[in-house]
Amino acid sequence: MNVEQQRATLAIALMSAFADGGKDGRERDALERIAARLTGEGGSAAGLDMQGLYQDVIFHRVTVESAAAALNDEESRRLAYEMAVGVANADGAQNERERAFLTQLRGALQLSDADATAIEADAVNIAGAAWAAAGAPADAALLHSPPPGQGGSAPTANVDRTELDKSILNASILNGALELLPQSWATMAIIPLQTRMVYRIGKAYGYELDSGHIKEFLATVGVGLASQYLEQAGRRLIGGLFGKLAGGLVGGIARGATGMAFSFATTYALGQLAVRYYGGGRSMSTDVLKQTFDDLLAPAKEMQARYVPQIQEKARGLNVGSVMDMIKGNRV
């Protein structure tokens, strides 16, 4: 893809992120930070100004139609739609505004109903399985526990920390491995797997969490669902890791180092934060949650370097079926 096509694809993904009409200040700030990071992590060298593109989307200087017009081949149009669907499905379910946006986008990209349905299938299956595993539909009310930072007494629980730490490490290795795969569903699977991990940690400490709580937990520490997906997908796009651009797994390993480190570290820090939060009776304030996550993230990035061989080996054995089994809890 040339620079104009990359910008158009990322513009469409950003528009999808804002399509739901519900982005709060935290999510907008996260999206702006991501734009700045992507500019610095390969985007500037490629001629991309993601911060400028973010402003163009916010102020409607770029439209669905103008972005789609820059995508003049079938592969780039399909990729743009895949990224838009991934953003829309990051929180588990599309609302009416997101569905309307995707319908408009399908028309602008001149995709057939059959093509659009095929593109959406993996995203719906993967995200839907994760939210079902997390105990409730994605738009469910907060039923069982207060939002992060509001405290509460911890239920009685007999937790094997060795096993819990092992499961967090396994989830981190898996998500690092997903960054090395060229398929679009690989990026779509990372957030559902993180959701499943947090759910299982909460359950280990006696909390029956619904998906609304987990979404709030992630957003509170600055890892919102749509913004995190956009960052992962943006890195893969700039690094040429989608589809045929990757040159297979070998190309993915060579070009996916940044994304691999990001997903490993984010997953590991989230897991360890969840252990402290739920193990401590949800007594952390919002500020303490954010600071603790930041404190955990730096050593997790350094730790990732020790597990590169395991991450690469895991990537070689992954397919969509095995990942679906992991989301559902049928495999480790």
Side-chain angles (χ1 to χ4, degrees), residues 4 8 14 21 36 109 121 139 196 201 265 280 287 290 325:
E4 184 180 5
L14 277 168
L109 293 172
D139 57 356
R196 174 67 176 167
I201 292 169
D287 288 342
K290 291 179 180 177
D325 281 345

Side-chain angles (χ1 to χ4, degrees), residues 143-292:
L143 300 176
H144 302 297
S145 53
Q150 291 191 6
S153 299
T156 301
N158 183 17
V159 177
D160 186 335
R161 275 299 306 272
T162 300
E163 284 301 311
L164 209 54
D165 287 342
K166 181 180 177 181
S167 70
I168 292 169
L169 178 59
N170 286 341
S172 304
I173 289 171
L174 172 60
N175 281 344
L178 286 168
E179 287 281 8
L180 301 181
L181 302 184
Q183 296 92 338
S184 60
W185 59 260
T187 300
M188 295 176 190
I190 290 170
I191 291 170
L193 285 163
Q194 289 175 341
T195 303
R196 174 67 176 167
M197 177 188 67
V198 172
Y199 167 75
R200 294 178 73 172
I201 292 169
K203 189 171 183 178
Y205 282 102
Y207 295 103
E208 287 292 338
L209 308 177
D210 68 32
S211 56
H213 177 95
I214 296 173
K215 286 191 290 183
E216 180 67 14
F217 176 82
L218 297 178
T220 296
V221 301
V223 192
L225 300 175
S227 59
Q228 187 183 172
Y229 175 86
L230 183 62
E231 180 160 16
Q232 291 159 339
R235 280 192 170 113
R236 291 165 67 85
L237 178 65
I238 291 170
L241 286 171
F242 272 114
K244 295 177 182 177
L245 301 177
L249 182 59
V250 174
I253 289 173
R255 302 176 192 178
T258 301
M260 177 174 62
F262 171 79
S263 289
F264 177 98
T266 301
T267 304
Y268 192 84
L270 280 173
Q272 293 299 332
L273 179 64
V275 167
R276 298 185 187 190
Y277 179 62
Y278 298 112
R282 301 171 299 183
S283 59
M284 289 183 178
S285 68
T286 296
D287 288 342
V288 171
L289 271 169
K290 291 179 180 177
Q291 187 59 55
T292 304

Side-chain angles (χ1 to χ4, degrees), residues 4 16 21 37 42 44 64 74 78 116 127 183 223 241 264 277 322:
E4 184 180 5
S16 183
R37 281 199 293 266
S44 294
V64 170
E74 183 178 354
R78 287 177 63 87
Q183 296 92 338
V223 192
L241 286 171
F264 177 98
Y277 179 62
S322 63

Side-chain angles (χ1 to χ4, degrees), residues 106-130:
R106 271 201 307 272
L109 293 172
Q110 300 179 341
L111 292 177
S112 68
D113 289 342
D115 281 345
T117 299
I119 289 169
E120 290 179 8
D122 282 340
V124 171
N125 289 338
I126 289 169

